[in-house]
Amino acid sequence: MRASLIVGLALALGACGSAPKKGGYYKDDGPHERPPAGLDAVADANPRIEPLHRYANRPYSVFGKDYRPLSAVQPFRQRGMASWYGKRFHGQKTSSGEPYDMYSMTAAHPTLPIPSYARVTNLANGRSVVVRINDRGPFHAGRVIDLSYVAAYKLGYIAAGSAQVEVEAIVPGAQRSL
């Protein structure tokens, strides 16, 4: 049953909140009519050592592609297209079993451990945020990470729907390289 839940979530996330390349929102997955005030003040996720999820880090397949999540929090760097997901998935369970909160600093990644942390930098404007990886996705070709609404907002690409980013895993307790 747990495997079918993960596959179901993966399929849902494959079509989630990712806006088309021309901007706009995927289906009805934009922001709420009145997003809460103070989104600029939402703090980055606070990296800490956490036990890895027992089930969310097992190998899985989505749309005929096999994924093998990393089995440990370790250095990792990747560049590619980021998208975001919003109200359509707000409150639904993530791969970690936690409810998705579009106003918290979280993200979905196909292979980073759950939970883990990553610094995501918008390459067009240099803005950077720290998110907690608690979900799987995106499963669209060329996309490397799906951010929560507030994380994408802080990176400045809500209206565009996607942005070129660099994703860098954060290893709690390790010094960040310059």
Side-chain angles (χ1 to χ4, degrees), residues 19-38:
K21 289 190 186 265
K22 294 180 182 176
Y25 308 117
Y26 179 82
K27 295 187 179 180
D28 61 346
D29 196 31
H32 286 115
E33 195 170 307
R34 291 187 203 127

Side-chain angles (χ1 to χ4, degrees), residues 4-18:
S4 63
L5 174 63
I6 290 173
V7 170
L9 284 170
L11 291 172
L13 288 175
C16 77
S18 307

Side-chain angles (χ1 to χ4, degrees), residues 46-163:
N46 184 22
R48 59 189 167 92
I49 297 171
E50 296 184 61
L52 296 185
H53 193 278
R54 185 174 178 182
Y55 301 108
N57 295 301
R58 293 181 175 170
Y60 65 98
S61 296
V62 176
F63 300 135
K65 184 174 179 180
D66 296 329
Y67 296 89
R68 184 170 296 280
L70 298 174
S71 59
V73 175
Q74 61 194 37
F76 175 92
R77 191 176 296 228
Q78 178 180 40
R79 284 186 175 208
M81 189 67 71
S83 48
W84 62 273
Y85 53 131
K87 70 181 180 184
R88 190 166 178 226
F89 295 90
H90 188 69
Q92 293 187 25
K93 282 189 178 183
T94 62
S95 297
S96 66
E98 303 163 352
Y100 170 61
D101 180 354
M102 64 189 278
Y103 302 115
S104 67
M105 297 298 286
T106 60
H109 191 276
T111 59
L112 283 173
I114 292 178
S116 64
Y117 297 84
R119 175 171 303 282
V120 181
T121 303
N122 183 334
L123 297 176
N125 62 20
R127 293 183 193 172
S128 182
V129 297
V130 175
V131 294
R132 182 171 179 266
I133 308 297
N134 70 343
D135 207 357
R136 292 286 173 228
F139 302 108
H140 289 284
R143 296 196 188 153
V144 299
I145 195 165
D146 247 351
L147 297 176
S148 66
Y149 172 83
V150 73
Y153 170 84
K154 290 181 79 172
L155 288 178
Y157 73 88
I158 287 296
S162 60

